[in-house]
Each structure stands twice: as structure tokens, then as C-alpha cells.
Amino acid sequence: LHEASRQYSSAMEIYKEEAGEEHPSYATALHNKALVERLLGRPDEAVRLFSKALDIRRKVLGAEHVDVGVTMHNLGSAVRDLGEFDRAREMQEHALTVLRRRLGSEHLTTATCINALGLTLKRAKEYDEAIEMYQKALGIQRRSLGLKHSECLQTLYNMAECYAEKGDAERENAVRSEILRLVQAMQQQESNDGGDEAAAAAGDDADSDVDIKKAG
């Protein structure tokens, strides 16, 4: 990741010199560098870079462009890392509105953003709203991917953790039982080809950043 950060810094300087600070390619380099900075645990730097990329994309592409929605979503996640949950929620809700318009309500990127909003609400202890977001994301993922998929398992895991924090042991256990059933079914299905998707499926209370290729 540190090497990737250095490479994106070099790319930023090249695009800045050759294309200028308001070129979409420079915004993309800023955005990619911000993704790495967030993974490196540097949310302040990620917020700075995402904010700069967002300003450029709004100016060049327009407020309703999918890349603007993607950048705002990722900025919201970085702001959440700083503990600013109200501000993060506002950004993620606005990003979700843009992405629903541009990509549709059933797009997997839309589901990713709903899931991330769920995590923001969970961190803010708005458990009922968080669970509602997880259920919406899971519905999209299930229709597109089938329940026996790592993204569905991750959303179920996030939901179980939310029920646990809420103190609803009955629903938490029901969701964890469903996860176990799905993992066992996936392991059985993959046993002949050595797949390990099920074993690595559900991690610690996760959400995802979105990149431009994934959104398109």
C-alpha cells in the first residue's frame, strides 16, 4: 500500500503538470490516492484528497455525474472514520440519491453504498435505521448474485453485529445461523474445486469504497 501511495503521488504530479489541476485525470489520481490513504489509516489525508477530487469532478462533470456520486460516497466513509457521523450520513445519503438516479436502484454499486450508509448509522447507534439499510442492500445483492455469495454474507454479518449491539440476541442468533447455513452450503459446493470464498466471506464489520470502474 505504501508503494501504491507513492505511485499515485507520482501520477498526480504528472497529470497536474501535463493536464492541469481541473482535468478529470488529475481528479482520478487524487481519488485513487485517497482510497489508499484511507486503507493506510490516514482518514484526514483521505478526506483532503477526496474533497479536492470532488470539487474538480463537480466543476468538470456536473453535480449529477456518477463519478461525483462515487467520490462523495467515499468521502462520506472517510469522514465516518473521523467519527463525524452526522456529516458522513449527509454525504452518503446525497451520494446514494445521485447513484440511484444514474445507475438505478438495483445496481450493485448502489447496494455497496446502502451498506456503507448502514455502517455509518450503526456507528451512530441508529440501529433500526442501520438494519433497514442492510436489509435493502441484501435484497439487491441477493437478486443480482444469489445468497451464496461473499457480498451477501458480509451484509448478513454486518446485520448480525448490529443486532448484537442493539441487544436483540434472538435476531442476532437467527442471522448468524443463516450465515452458518450458507457458509456450509458454499463450502460443500466448492469442495470439488478448492474454492475458499465462503471461508473468507464475512469479516469484521466491513464496508467498501467504490472505484470508478466498479461504479460503471
Side-chain angles (χ1 to χ4, degrees):
L1 286 176
H2 291 282
E3 178 60 29
S5 180
R6 285 191 289 271
Q7 290 177 356
Y8 284 129
S9 293
S10 297
M12 284 167 51
E13 292 305 313
I14 291 170
Y15 287 125
K16 181 178 178 179
E17 183 176 340
E18 294 185 355
E21 292 190 23
E22 294 191 357
H23 195 277
S25 295
Y26 180 61
T28 298
L30 287 166
H31 183 269
N32 290 339
K33 167 103 167 141
L35 292 173
V36 174
E37 292 301 311
R38 184 173 177 236
L39 289 173
L40 287 169
R42 300 169 181 165
D44 288 296
E45 181 65 5
V47 166
R48 185 185 73 82
L49 293 167
F50 280 136
S51 298
K52 194 169 182 179
L54 180 62
D55 288 343
I56 297 168
R57 284 177 167 165
R58 273 179 173 155
K59 187 180 296 185
V60 175
L61 303 173
E64 290 292 305
H65 195 279
V66 65
D67 290 359
V68 171
V70 165
T71 307
M72 184 172 291
H73 161 80
N74 291 335
L75 174 58
S77 294
V79 167
R80 182 188 62 221
D81 294 342
L82 296 174
E84 299 180 29
F85 302 127
D86 290 342
R87 184 177 166 217
R89 176 179 183 169
E90 181 179 356
M91 290 177 175
Q92 289 176 324
E93 286 179 339
H94 186 81
L96 185 56
T97 298
V98 173
L99 294 171
R100 276 178 169 148
R101 286 197 197 114
R102 303 301 296 174
L103 300 176
S105 296
E106 290 293 307
H107 198 282
L108 285 172
T109 295
T110 303
T112 298
C113 294
I114 294 171
N115 212 336
L117 176 57
L119 182 53
T120 298
L121 291 165
K122 175 179 173 290
R123 295 276 172 85
K125 302 187 186 305
E126 300 288 349
Y127 298 121
D128 290 335
E129 290 183 88
I131 289 164
E132 182 183 355
M133 292 301 106
Y134 290 142
Q135 289 170 338
K136 288 181 179 180
L138 183 64
I140 299 167
Q141 292 165 339
R142 183 181 65 245
R143 289 188 289 274
S144 296
L145 304 169
L147 266 178
K148 296 176 185 176
H149 191 280
S150 61
E151 290 192 27
C152 292
L153 290 180
Q154 184 64 63
T155 301
L156 284 166
Y157 180 86
N158 290 348
M159 196 184 302
E161 290 293 294
C162 199
Y163 280 125
E165 288 195 17
K166 186 184 177 186
D168 191 337
E170 182 178 354
R171 287 189 171 89
E172 177 199 353
N173 290 335
V175 175
R176 293 196 191 281
S177 294
E178 177 68 2
I179 293 170
L180 179 60
R181 184 189 69 78
L182 290 168
V183 168
Q184 290 172 337
M186 291 168 68
Q187 288 173 336
Q188 179 65 33
Q189 185 176 345
E190 295 166 359
S191 61
N192 293 331
D193 57 20
D196 59 358
E197 181 181 24
D204 180 35
D205 198 30
D207 73 324
S208 298
D209 288 313
V210 181
D211 62 33
I212 304 308
K213 287 186 279 189
K214 185 174 182 181

